[in-house]
Amino acid sequence: MATQRTDEAGGNRAGAAAKSAPIHFIVEVLRGQAQVDFMPSALCGVFFAVALFVSGWRYGFYGLLGTALATGTAIVLGVNRDRVAAGLEGFNGCLVAVGFAVFLGADHASTWLLAAAGAITVTVVTAALDQVLSTWNIPTFTAPFCIIATVVIVAAPGFRRIWHSDKNLSAFPGVATGRTALTWHDIWHAFLGNVGQIFFMPQWYVGLLFLLGIFAASRLAGAMACLGSAVGILVAWTLGSPADSVAQGLMGYNSVLVAMALCGVFIKVNGWSVAYAVLGAAVATVLTTGMGNFTSTFGGHAFTWPFVLTALAFVAAVPSFPRLRRT
Amino acid sequence: MATQRTDEAGGNRAGAAAKSAPIHFIVEVLRGQAQVDFMPSALCGVFFAVALFVSGWRYGFYGLLGTALATGTAIVLGVNRDRVAAGLEGFNGCLVAVGFAVFLGADHASTWLLAAAGAITVTVVTAALDQVLSTWNIPTFTAPFCIIATVVIVAAPGFRRIWHSDKNLSAFPGVATGRTALTWHDIWHAFLGNVGQIFFMPQWYVGLLFLLGIFAASRLAGAMACLGSAVGILVAWTLGSPADSVAQGLMGYNSVLVAMALCGVFIKVNGWSVAYAVLGAAVATVLTTGMGNFTSTFGGHAFTWPFVLTALAFVAAVPSFPRLRRT
Amino acid sequence: MATQRTDEAGGNRAGAAAKSAPIHFIVEVLRGQAQVDFMPSALCGVFFAVALFVSGWRYGFYGLLGTALATGTAIVLGVNRDRVAAGLEGFNGCLVAVGFAVFLGADHASTWLLAAAGAITVTVVTAALDQVLSTWNIPTFTAPFCIIATVVIVAAPGFRRIWHSDKNLSAFPGVATGRTALTWHDIWHAFLGNVGQIFFMPQWYVGLLFLLGIFAASRLAGAMACLGSAVGILVAWTLGSPADSVAQGLMGYNSVLVAMALCGVFIKVNGWSVAYAVLGAAVATVLTTGMGNFTSTFGGHAFTWPFVLTALAFVAAVPSFPRLRRT
């Protein structure tokens, strides 16, 4: 799939002369949306954009704004054209903008402006991490988004024109209470919610649209997303997570991303990498609760840090394990 | 001593054909236990295993389980045979399993299962850190253990089947109060407790068994462990640590590890490296309190983070200092 | 300016045989003070030393003590003579000592001793970071100071002979309240305070002395310091920071450093790097509040972490942006 990236991009580049620049840019923006789930596919990006608009029209615009600004900034600064064409400069901007909308309020003018500034800045953070991590041939994943979003969310209560509430959300992490047994209703909501929460969206039908988008780009990736979602639910239930969190997709969105990353996207598919992906998805589920507890003390959020950290470790480790091969 | 590692391992490998695989594996597991204190010595591992059993039979089994699973996972995944033979794939698994037993309760079935999962996962984290840190020829120390243990301890209160208490331990760090003057009883308890607390064990006789194990493997390492323990006590007393913490070995276990690491294990022995080890041991003592305060806010623990961070910095810095030489 | 560093240092080295060692050392110490603001200029160092003495005679001595001990430790340990001559081994020691004086109380004997120990240790941390970051040709900035200061400030309440108060300062971050509109009095105090707070000093006339020192070494650096200070004020006001913090220079000291670093010191001057420096200065302002909120929970402080992290990212990213060139 990583080769698919450059292949599709390459194919399009070959025909670039025949296309007008605006259409070219629109394709790159759509691929940027799709790259949130590793797919360098404009068709997948259409599904993702529709899913965001279905969840709320503002979210749809935030997503397009963020992807377009991050992609545009990369073009203006002269970033490698292959990266831009594959959508790799857009997906963190998409998440930054949608994340700000969800956590700071989509209605405020301040949020629109901050989302724009964040999407421009994320291009610099992406380049910095890319320079550093390429030493070990590791991608940046969604780390640039996680960094920008964490900084802004943690800083926000200190700025009166950004924070439209009179309380800071910082609190000591609590102890899980309440129901842990899952109903069938919980399970299928969780299964689709795990896909939707990658974009912060809890609705089952939004998650379904995202999942269809993944399948439209790659059946393997769709299958791994389903496997990751199932592992997330199973591990959360086994360890005793509150059923409400599981049903909203809050326990499994990182396992979906990890499973896709570790089998197909960055590591070649074989029996070992399937098992590796399952282990990684389980680790990401524990880390989701761990990062949630850690960040709650200073008003942060887990975002996709659990996916980023798990995938960084599991991908970095590959050269030590001859049974696994990088794509 | 770092050469001793490969030497002893090499010697044993030469005779490997004559040994049955199970015996081979047992030797590797014992060396894995000993590598917690940098010793690639099965004899030292026997001392360490006995010490854990003396402290509590469950701890002994947790230690063996963790070391065996981490070592076995490394073999199954095809990690470099020299690393496995030297015990370098086992020690983090040992600490993960014993750490879980101490912090989550040794009696619970959930703790046994989690310890097994943690010991398997620590192999991946070890490989990832090894790939990254080898860029600067720096070892991973016990960082893989610290990472796994921190994630699980911080996440644990969010899982009802792991956390068997109704309160989260997160709290703002306090201010030191009470007695700081040390009695002779405090001092000799601290001296041995500093060695035992590397494995979370406060009893003086358990610490003595660990110290004898180190001396059995290397008199130099034993001497540096004693020096590190003394520096830890002296610095803690000078700065005014509560006497109770000092006496339980909670202030000096990191200085013991740092002193060994910086003079003999990773840096060649000379007058400069002895002084360097003393400075490092002092720094680790301050960092022990610092990490304790930092992690208390989110329900974490200092573990051996102070050793890891101090040793990382002091070993990484060596190429800038011509008076010091890596082993 | 980065070349100016080695040039001036080189010129002085050429005449080294003619100078007595003590005078040589004094020049290196003065340059060390000046390197807090990137200036390898003894004249600038004289301005900075005077500024510290004007703010309080103890601060002046702490600054000289810290710079001298860090520089001396580097010489004793045999660090590359070019680094020492350029003052690059002194500036973190200066900040460590002055920082301890401000945060632990300048009057206590314990603070003097700890400042000495910190200035010695910062040399090791500098070497470690230099070894690691040189992989990507990134300097250490003031990260060594930030690390030492954070560890000691966070650990301090746990040591009775260091901490002379009966309360720990840890607290959840609050929500900004009060006045955000800036008076002219606020603005010009902020403009100079932003320069002085790099050394923790809020007085406008101390800030003015620092600014004159920068201009004495380089008019470009002085201009960028002014630009950075203005951006910090503008961004803080736009986002709604409390006017009191802005007026004390607490919101803009990181933007001053970032602006200098990103246009002239580490990146060649052109229209793009001016814009890059403005973006970086804005990011550092947000990060200043973010780091303040994050560190408040465990009794830490933002120090110059926002500058360090912003500059690390923006300098590391340069190779991805062909419009920017490293000096």
Side-chain angles (χ1 to χ4, degrees), chain B residues 286-315:
Chain B
V286 176
L287 192 46
T288 298
T289 297
M291 283 301 294
N293 285 352
F294 170 57
T295 56
S296 74
T297 57
F298 50 89
H301 189 272
F303 293 119
T304 45
W305 280 118
F307 151 62
V308 169
L309 298 174
T310 305
L312 273 178
F314 276 67
V315 170

mmCIF file of all heavy atoms in Angstrom, chain B residues 286-315:
data_model
loop_
_atom_site.group_PDB
_atom_site.id
_atom_site.type_symbol
_atom_site.label_atom_id
_atom_site.label_comp_id
_atom_site.label_asym_id
_atom_site.label_seq_id
_atom_site.Cartn_x
_atom_site.Cartn_y
_atom_site.Cartn_z
ATOM 1 N N VAL B 286 18.960 13.208 42.919
ATOM 2 C CA VAL B 286 18.057 14.357 42.794
ATOM 3 C C VAL B 286 16.908 14.013 41.841
ATOM 4 O O VAL B 286 15.742 14.295 42.106
ATOM 5 C CB VAL B 286 18.829 15.598 42.283
ATOM 6 C CG1 VAL B 286 17.872 16.772 42.068
ATOM 7 C CG2 VAL B 286 19.925 15.971 43.262
ATOM 8 N N LEU B 287 17.252 13.358 40.740
ATOM 9 C CA LEU B 287 16.250 13.011 39.741
ATOM 10 C C LEU B 287 15.230 12.003 40.289
ATOM 11 O O LEU B 287 14.072 11.987 39.861
ATOM 12 C CB LEU B 287 16.949 12.450 38.496
ATOM 13 C CG LEU B 287 16.140 12.281 37.218
ATOM 14 C CD1 LEU B 287 15.294 13.497 36.890
ATOM 15 C CD2 LEU B 287 17.052 11.943 36.054
ATOM 16 N N THR B 288 15.649 11.171 41.242
ATOM 17 C CA THR B 288 14.712 10.219 41.847
ATOM 18 C C THR B 288 13.557 10.961 42.520
ATOM 19 O O THR B 288 12.384 10.609 42.341
ATOM 20 C CB THR B 288 15.454 9.332 42.875
ATOM 21 O OG1 THR B 288 16.466 8.597 42.178
ATOM 22 C CG2 THR B 288 14.502 8.369 43.556
ATOM 23 N N THR B 289 13.891 12.006 43.264
ATOM 24 C CA THR B 289 12.830 12.796 43.893
ATOM 25 C C THR B 289 12.049 13.572 42.838
ATOM 26 O O THR B 289 10.823 13.679 42.904
ATOM 27 C CB THR B 289 13.430 13.751 44.936
ATOM 28 O OG1 THR B 289 14.033 12.960 45.964
ATOM 29 C CG2 THR B 289 12.365 14.642 45.552
ATOM 30 N N GLY B 290 12.761 14.104 41.843
ATOM 31 C CA GLY B 290 12.087 14.852 40.784
ATOM 32 C C GLY B 290 11.085 14.002 40.023
ATOM 33 O O GLY B 290 9.939 14.409 39.799
ATOM 34 N N MET B 291 11.499 12.793 39.633
ATOM 35 C CA MET B 291 10.586 11.922 38.882
ATOM 36 C C MET B 291 9.439 11.466 39.768
ATOM 37 O O MET B 291 8.312 11.296 39.298
ATOM 38 C CB MET B 291 11.326 10.691 38.343
ATOM 39 C CG MET B 291 12.190 10.929 37.123
ATOM 40 S SD MET B 291 11.319 11.560 35.657
ATOM 41 C CE MET B 291 10.256 10.154 35.260
ATOM 42 N N GLY B 292 9.706 11.235 41.040
ATOM 43 C CA GLY B 292 8.635 10.852 41.962
ATOM 44 C C GLY B 292 7.576 11.945 42.038
ATOM 45 O O GLY B 292 6.373 11.669 41.968
ATOM 46 N N ASN B 293 8.026 13.194 42.159
ATOM 47 C CA ASN B 293 7.073 14.305 42.231
ATOM 48 C C ASN B 293 6.301 14.459 40.922
ATOM 49 O O ASN B 293 5.089 14.664 40.920
ATOM 50 C CB ASN B 293 7.814 15.617 42.545
ATOM 51 C CG ASN B 293 8.234 15.691 44.000
ATOM 52 O OD1 ASN B 293 7.850 14.850 44.817
ATOM 53 N ND2 ASN B 293 9.039 16.687 44.336
ATOM 54 N N PHE B 294 7.027 14.378 39.804
ATOM 55 C CA PHE B 294 6.383 14.544 38.497
ATOM 56 C C PHE B 294 5.317 13.474 38.267
ATOM 57 O O PHE B 294 4.170 13.768 37.916
ATOM 58 C CB PHE B 294 7.439 14.495 37.396
ATOM 59 C CG PHE B 294 6.888 14.418 35.997
ATOM 60 C CD1 PHE B 294 6.011 15.387 35.529
ATOM 61 C CD2 PHE B 294 7.248 13.388 35.150
ATOM 62 C CE1 PHE B 294 5.498 15.315 34.231
ATOM 63 C CE2 PHE B 294 6.747 13.313 33.863
ATOM 64 C CZ PHE B 294 5.861 14.275 33.409
ATOM 65 N N THR B 295 5.691 12.210 38.497
ATOM 66 C CA THR B 295 4.781 11.115 38.156
ATOM 67 C C THR B 295 3.630 10.976 39.148
ATOM 68 O O THR B 295 2.601 10.380 38.810
ATOM 69 C CB THR B 295 5.543 9.777 38.074
ATOM 70 O OG1 THR B 295 6.217 9.557 39.320
ATOM 71 C CG2 THR B 295 6.566 9.794 36.953
ATOM 72 N N SER B 296 3.789 11.512 40.344
ATOM 73 C CA SER B 296 2.718 11.354 41.337
ATOM 74 C C SER B 296 1.434 12.029 40.880
ATOM 75 O O SER B 296 0.340 11.605 41.248
ATOM 76 C CB SER B 296 3.142 11.914 42.685
ATOM 77 O OG SER B 296 3.124 13.328 42.661
ATOM 78 N N THR B 297 1.559 13.089 40.043
ATOM 79 C CA THR B 297 0.349 13.816 39.662
ATOM 80 C C THR B 297 -0.575 12.992 38.780
ATOM 81 O O THR B 297 -1.764 13.234 38.738
ATOM 82 C CB THR B 297 0.692 15.117 38.897
ATOM 83 O OG1 THR B 297 1.485 14.794 37.760
ATOM 84 C CG2 THR B 297 1.447 16.080 39.783
ATOM 85 N N PHE B 298 -0.027 12.035 38.064
ATOM 86 C CA PHE B 298 -0.893 11.235 37.186
ATOM 87 C C PHE B 298 -0.880 9.752 37.555
ATOM 88 O O PHE B 298 -1.251 8.899 36.759
ATOM 89 C CB PHE B 298 -0.541 11.436 35.701
ATOM 90 C CG PHE B 298 0.925 11.273 35.362
ATOM 91 C CD1 PHE B 298 1.427 10.043 35.033
ATOM 92 C CD2 PHE B 298 1.778 12.360 35.375
ATOM 93 C CE1 PHE B 298 2.766 9.878 34.711
ATOM 94 C CE2 PHE B 298 3.123 12.214 35.048
ATOM 95 C CZ PHE B 298 3.617 10.969 34.722
ATOM 96 N N GLY B 299 -0.497 9.464 38.800
ATOM 97 C CA GLY B 299 -0.568 8.099 39.273
ATOM 98 C C GLY B 299 0.538 7.200 38.764
ATOM 99 O O GLY B 299 0.393 5.977 38.753
ATOM 100 N N GLY B 300 1.654 7.782 38.342
ATOM 101 C CA GLY B 300 2.790 6.981 37.898
ATOM 102 C C GLY B 300 3.749 6.702 39.042
ATOM 103 O O GLY B 300 3.392 6.784 40.221
ATOM 104 N N HIS B 301 4.976 6.354 38.701
ATOM 105 C CA HIS B 301 5.990 6.013 39.697
ATOM 106 C C HIS B 301 7.350 6.302 39.076
ATOM 107 O O HIS B 301 7.488 6.253 37.856
ATOM 108 C CB HIS B 301 5.866 4.524 40.067
ATOM 109 C CG HIS B 301 6.720 4.132 41.221
ATOM 110 N ND1 HIS B 301 8.014 3.726 41.083
ATOM 111 C CD2 HIS B 301 6.456 4.121 42.546
ATOM 112 C CE1 HIS B 301 8.512 3.452 42.276
ATOM 113 N NE2 HIS B 301 7.597 3.686 43.189
ATOM 114 N N ALA B 302 8.345 6.598 39.900
ATOM 115 C CA ALA B 302 9.670 6.905 39.359
ATOM 116 C C ALA B 302 10.304 5.694 38.676
ATOM 117 O O ALA B 302 11.092 5.837 37.741
ATOM 118 C CB ALA B 302 10.593 7.416 40.475
ATOM 119 N N PHE B 303 9.962 4.471 39.151
ATOM 120 C CA PHE B 303 10.615 3.258 38.638
ATOM 121 C C PHE B 303 12.129 3.508 38.505
ATOM 122 O O PHE B 303 12.718 4.159 39.375
ATOM 123 C CB PHE B 303 10.005 2.843 37.290
ATOM 124 C CG PHE B 303 8.575 2.386 37.423
ATOM 125 C CD1 PHE B 303 7.542 3.042 36.758
ATOM 126 C CD2 PHE B 303 8.236 1.308 38.233
ATOM 127 C CE1 PHE B 303 6.217 2.634 36.893
ATOM 128 C CE2 PHE B 303 6.912 0.899 38.371
ATOM 129 C CZ PHE B 303 5.915 1.568 37.703
ATOM 130 N N THR B 304 12.764 3.001 37.437
ATOM 131 C CA THR B 304 14.185 3.321 37.251
ATOM 132 C C THR B 304 14.378 4.383 36.177
ATOM 133 O O THR B 304 15.450 4.480 35.579
ATOM 134 C CB THR B 304 15.015 2.051 36.923
ATOM 135 O OG1 THR B 304 14.316 1.282 35.953
ATOM 136 C CG2 THR B 304 15.246 1.209 38.156
ATOM 137 N N TRP B 305 13.356 5.208 35.935
ATOM 138 C CA TRP B 305 13.517 6.342 35.029
ATOM 139 C C TRP B 305 14.721 7.215 35.404
ATOM 140 O O TRP B 305 15.464 7.639 34.497
ATOM 141 C CB TRP B 305 12.264 7.217 35.017
ATOM 142 C CG TRP B 305 11.126 6.738 34.164
ATOM 143 C CD1 TRP B 305 9.873 6.387 34.604
ATOM 144 C CD2 TRP B 305 11.101 6.582 32.742
ATOM 145 N NE1 TRP B 305 9.089 6.015 33.536
ATOM 146 C CE2 TRP B 305 9.802 6.135 32.385
ATOM 147 C CE3 TRP B 305 12.035 6.776 31.730
ATOM 148 C CZ2 TRP B 305 9.431 5.880 31.068
ATOM 149 C CZ3 TRP B 305 11.665 6.523 30.418
ATOM 150 C CH2 TRP B 305 10.388 6.083 30.104
ATOM 151 N N PRO B 306 14.945 7.520 36.691
ATOM 152 C CA PRO B 306 16.097 8.381 37.008
ATOM 153 C C PRO B 306 17.419 7.759 36.559
ATOM 154 O O PRO B 306 18.296 8.451 36.030
ATOM 155 C CB PRO B 306 16.018 8.518 38.530
ATOM 156 C CG PRO B 306 14.568 8.327 38.844
ATOM 157 C CD PRO B 306 14.100 7.274 37.884
ATOM 158 N N PHE B 307 17.562 6.457 36.762
ATOM 159 C CA PHE B 307 18.760 5.778 36.255
ATOM 160 C C PHE B 307 18.827 5.870 34.745
ATOM 161 O O PHE B 307 19.864 6.232 34.163
ATOM 162 C CB PHE B 307 18.759 4.312 36.723
ATOM 163 C CG PHE B 307 19.473 3.377 35.789
ATOM 164 C CD1 PHE B 307 20.833 3.530 35.529
ATOM 165 C CD2 PHE B 307 18.795 2.342 35.160
ATOM 166 C CE1 PHE B 307 21.489 2.666 34.653
ATOM 167 C CE2 PHE B 307 19.436 1.489 34.291
ATOM 168 C CZ PHE B 307 20.788 1.650 34.027
ATOM 169 N N VAL B 308 17.733 5.537 34.080
ATOM 170 C CA VAL B 308 17.730 5.513 32.619
ATOM 171 C C VAL B 308 18.119 6.872 32.056
ATOM 172 O O VAL B 308 19.009 6.985 31.194
ATOM 173 C CB VAL B 308 16.341 5.089 32.079
ATOM 174 C CG1 VAL B 308 16.244 5.321 30.577
ATOM 175 C CG2 VAL B 308 16.065 3.632 32.417
ATOM 176 N N LEU B 309 17.484 7.924 32.542
ATOM 177 C CA LEU B 309 17.719 9.255 31.977
ATOM 178 C C LEU B 309 19.129 9.744 32.295
ATOM 179 O O LEU B 309 19.808 10.323 31.435
ATOM 180 C CB LEU B 309 16.660 10.233 32.496
ATOM 181 C CG LEU B 309 15.223 9.859 32.100
ATOM 182 C CD1 LEU B 309 14.223 10.786 32.778
ATOM 183 C CD2 LEU B 309 15.050 9.909 30.588
ATOM 184 N N THR B 310 19.578 9.504 33.519
ATOM 185 C CA THR B 310 20.935 9.928 33.874
ATOM 186 C C THR B 310 21.968 9.164 33.048
ATOM 187 O O THR B 310 22.900 9.752 32.486
ATOM 188 C CB THR B 310 21.198 9.687 35.371
ATOM 189 O OG1 THR B 310 20.186 10.336 36.126
ATOM 190 C CG2 THR B 310 22.561 10.227 35.782
ATOM 191 N N ALA B 311 21.800 7.847 32.971
ATOM 192 C CA ALA B 311 22.767 7.036 32.242
ATOM 193 C C ALA B 311 22.754 7.360 30.757
ATOM 194 O O ALA B 311 23.811 7.445 30.117
ATOM 195 C CB ALA B 311 22.499 5.549 32.479
ATOM 196 N N LEU B 312 21.571 7.567 30.190
ATOM 197 C CA LEU B 312 21.479 7.967 28.778
ATOM 198 C C LEU B 312 22.313 9.216 28.534
ATOM 199 O O LEU B 312 23.132 9.269 27.610
ATOM 200 C CB LEU B 312 20.025 8.273 28.396
ATOM 201 C CG LEU B 312 19.130 7.132 27.930
ATOM 202 C CD1 LEU B 312 17.733 7.647 27.645
ATOM 203 C CD2 LEU B 312 19.691 6.464 26.679
ATOM 204 N N ALA B 313 22.113 10.233 29.366
ATOM 205 C CA ALA B 313 22.829 11.495 29.171
ATOM 206 C C ALA B 313 24.327 11.309 29.375
ATOM 207 O O ALA B 313 25.139 11.734 28.540
ATOM 208 C CB ALA B 313 22.286 12.560 30.125
ATOM 209 N N PHE B 314 24.713 10.655 30.455
ATOM 210 C CA PHE B 314 26.139 10.547 30.766
ATOM 211 C C PHE B 314 26.878 9.639 29.785
ATOM 212 O O PHE B 314 28.057 9.877 29.498
ATOM 213 C CB PHE B 314 26.324 10.069 32.217
ATOM 214 C CG PHE B 314 26.257 11.173 33.237
ATOM 215 C CD1 PHE B 314 25.077 11.871 33.471
ATOM 216 C CD2 PHE B 314 27.387 11.557 33.955
ATOM 217 C CE1 PHE B 314 25.011 12.908 34.403
ATOM 218 C CE2 PHE B 314 27.335 12.593 34.893
ATOM 219 C CZ PHE B 314 26.144 13.260 35.114
ATOM 220 N N VAL B 315 26.214 8.614 29.274
ATOM 221 C CA VAL B 315 26.872 7.752 28.284
ATOM 222 C C VAL B 315 26.895 8.433 26.911
ATOM 223 O O VAL B 315 27.897 8.388 26.196
ATOM 224 C CB VAL B 315 26.187 6.368 28.215
ATOM 225 C CG1 VAL B 315 26.695 5.568 27.020
ATOM 226 C CG2 VAL B 315 26.437 5.589 29.498
#
